[in-house]
mmCIF file of all heavy atoms in Angstrom:
data_model
loop_
_atom_site.group_PDB
_atom_site.id
_atom_site.type_symbol
_atom_site.label_atom_id
_atom_site.label_comp_id
_atom_site.label_asym_id
_atom_site.label_seq_id
_atom_site.Cartn_x
_atom_site.Cartn_y
_atom_site.Cartn_z
ATOM 1 N N LYS U 375 2.641 51.892 11.682
ATOM 2 C CA LYS U 375 2.681 53.344 11.897
ATOM 3 C C LYS U 375 2.606 53.670 13.388
ATOM 4 O O LYS U 375 3.306 54.541 13.897
ATOM 5 C CB LYS U 375 1.516 54.021 11.160
ATOM 6 C CG LYS U 375 1.756 54.159 9.665
ATOM 7 C CD LYS U 375 0.575 54.858 9.003
ATOM 8 C CE LYS U 375 0.737 54.873 7.494
ATOM 9 N NZ LYS U 375 -0.537 54.990 6.799
ATOM 10 N N ARG U 376 1.703 52.955 14.095
ATOM 11 C CA ARG U 376 1.525 53.216 15.528
ATOM 12 C C ARG U 376 2.821 52.947 16.287
ATOM 13 O O ARG U 376 3.243 53.740 17.139
ATOM 14 C CB ARG U 376 0.408 52.304 16.051
ATOM 15 C CG ARG U 376 -0.122 52.674 17.432
ATOM 16 C CD ARG U 376 -1.222 51.715 17.842
ATOM 17 N NE ARG U 376 -0.722 50.371 18.080
ATOM 18 C CZ ARG U 376 -0.088 50.014 19.205
ATOM 19 N NH1 ARG U 376 0.129 50.898 20.165
ATOM 20 N NH2 ARG U 376 0.349 48.780 19.368
ATOM 21 N N LEU U 377 3.466 51.831 15.953
ATOM 22 C CA LEU U 377 4.721 51.485 16.632
ATOM 23 C C LEU U 377 5.792 52.534 16.359
ATOM 24 O O LEU U 377 6.562 52.893 17.237
ATOM 25 C CB LEU U 377 5.206 50.106 16.170
ATOM 26 C CG LEU U 377 4.380 48.913 16.678
ATOM 27 C CD1 LEU U 377 4.761 47.657 15.926
ATOM 28 C CD2 LEU U 377 4.603 48.690 18.168
ATOM 29 N N LYS U 378 5.811 53.020 15.133
ATOM 30 C CA LYS U 378 6.834 54.031 14.808
ATOM 31 C C LYS U 378 6.636 55.280 15.643
ATOM 32 O O LYS U 378 7.588 55.878 16.120
ATOM 33 C CB LYS U 378 6.742 54.394 13.317
ATOM 34 C CG LYS U 378 7.508 53.442 12.422
ATOM 35 C CD LYS U 378 7.456 53.942 11.001
ATOM 36 C CE LYS U 378 8.282 53.064 10.079
ATOM 37 N NZ LYS U 378 7.954 53.345 8.674
ATOM 38 N N SER U 379 5.379 55.690 15.827
ATOM 39 C CA SER U 379 5.148 56.918 16.593
ATOM 40 C C SER U 379 5.509 56.711 18.065
ATOM 41 O O SER U 379 6.030 57.601 18.724
ATOM 42 C CB SER U 379 3.703 57.396 16.440
ATOM 43 O OG SER U 379 2.863 56.465 17.084
ATOM 44 N N ILE U 380 5.284 55.492 18.589
ATOM 45 C CA ILE U 380 5.664 55.204 19.981
ATOM 46 C C ILE U 380 7.173 55.298 20.149
ATOM 47 O O ILE U 380 7.683 55.755 21.166
ATOM 48 C CB ILE U 380 5.154 53.799 20.410
ATOM 49 C CG1 ILE U 380 3.618 53.831 20.516
ATOM 50 C CG2 ILE U 380 5.764 53.371 21.735
ATOM 51 C CD1 ILE U 380 3.006 52.486 20.800
ATOM 52 N N MET U 381 7.897 54.869 19.108
ATOM 53 C CA MET U 381 9.360 54.869 19.201
ATOM 54 C C MET U 381 9.915 56.275 19.376
ATOM 55 O O MET U 381 11.020 56.469 19.823
ATOM 56 C CB MET U 381 9.992 54.269 17.931
ATOM 57 C CG MET U 381 9.673 52.814 17.722
ATOM 58 S SD MET U 381 10.175 51.799 19.081
ATOM 59 C CE MET U 381 11.828 51.401 18.581
ATOM 60 N N GLY U 382 9.119 57.260 18.967
ATOM 61 C CA GLY U 382 9.629 58.626 19.103
ATOM 62 C C GLY U 382 9.248 59.230 20.449
ATOM 63 O O GLY U 382 9.163 60.439 20.588
ATOM 64 N N LEU U 383 9.005 58.378 21.481
ATOM 65 C CA LEU U 383 8.586 58.881 22.793
ATOM 66 C C LEU U 383 9.642 59.781 23.420
ATOM 67 O O LEU U 383 10.821 59.453 23.434
ATOM 68 C CB LEU U 383 8.351 57.695 23.734
ATOM 69 C CG LEU U 383 6.995 56.982 23.601
ATOM 70 C CD1 LEU U 383 6.998 55.778 24.486
ATOM 71 C CD2 LEU U 383 5.876 57.930 23.981
ATOM 72 N N GLU U 384 9.190 60.966 23.947
ATOM 73 C CA GLU U 384 10.140 61.784 24.715
ATOM 74 C C GLU U 384 9.997 61.419 26.183
ATOM 75 O O GLU U 384 9.092 60.712 26.579
ATOM 76 C CB GLU U 384 9.819 63.274 24.555
ATOM 77 C CG GLU U 384 10.274 63.836 23.228
ATOM 78 C CD GLU U 384 9.100 64.102 22.312
ATOM 79 O OE1 GLU U 384 8.073 64.564 22.805
ATOM 80 O OE2 GLU U 384 9.222 63.812 21.106
ATOM 81 N N GLY U 385 10.894 61.981 26.982
ATOM 82 C CA GLY U 385 10.821 61.760 28.434
ATOM 83 C C GLY U 385 11.457 60.434 28.780
ATOM 84 O O GLY U 385 11.474 59.496 27.993
ATOM 85 N N GLU U 386 11.977 60.397 29.990
ATOM 86 C CA GLU U 386 12.723 59.198 30.382
ATOM 87 C C GLU U 386 11.975 58.428 31.461
ATOM 88 O O GLU U 386 12.578 57.682 32.197
ATOM 89 C CB GLU U 386 14.097 59.630 30.942
ATOM 90 C CG GLU U 386 14.992 60.319 29.910
ATOM 91 C CD GLU U 386 15.398 59.370 28.792
ATOM 92 O OE1 GLU U 386 15.702 58.206 29.094
ATOM 93 O OE2 GLU U 386 15.387 59.771 27.613
ATOM 94 N N ASP U 387 10.662 58.674 31.602
ATOM 95 C CA ASP U 387 10.006 58.001 32.725
ATOM 96 C C ASP U 387 9.970 56.490 32.510
ATOM 97 O O ASP U 387 10.070 55.971 31.406
ATOM 98 C CB ASP U 387 8.591 58.569 32.951
ATOM 99 C CG ASP U 387 7.708 58.346 31.752
ATOM 100 O OD1 ASP U 387 8.245 57.889 30.727
ATOM 101 O OD2 ASP U 387 6.496 58.619 31.819
ATOM 102 N N GLU U 388 9.811 55.804 33.619
ATOM 103 C CA GLU U 388 9.885 54.337 33.625
ATOM 104 C C GLU U 388 8.928 53.713 32.588
ATOM 105 O O GLU U 388 9.293 52.824 31.856
ATOM 106 C CB GLU U 388 9.492 53.808 35.026
ATOM 107 C CG GLU U 388 10.562 54.021 36.087
ATOM 108 C CD GLU U 388 11.834 53.252 35.753
ATOM 109 O OE1 GLU U 388 11.756 52.023 35.655
ATOM 110 O OE2 GLU U 388 12.886 53.886 35.554
#
Side-chain angles (χ1 to χ4, degrees):
K375 282 181 186 156
R376 194 180 68 78
L377 289 168
K378 275 185 177 166
S379 68
I380 291 175
M381 295 302 271
L383 279 174
E384 283 107 39
E386 296 294 319
D387 62 353
E388 286 297 300

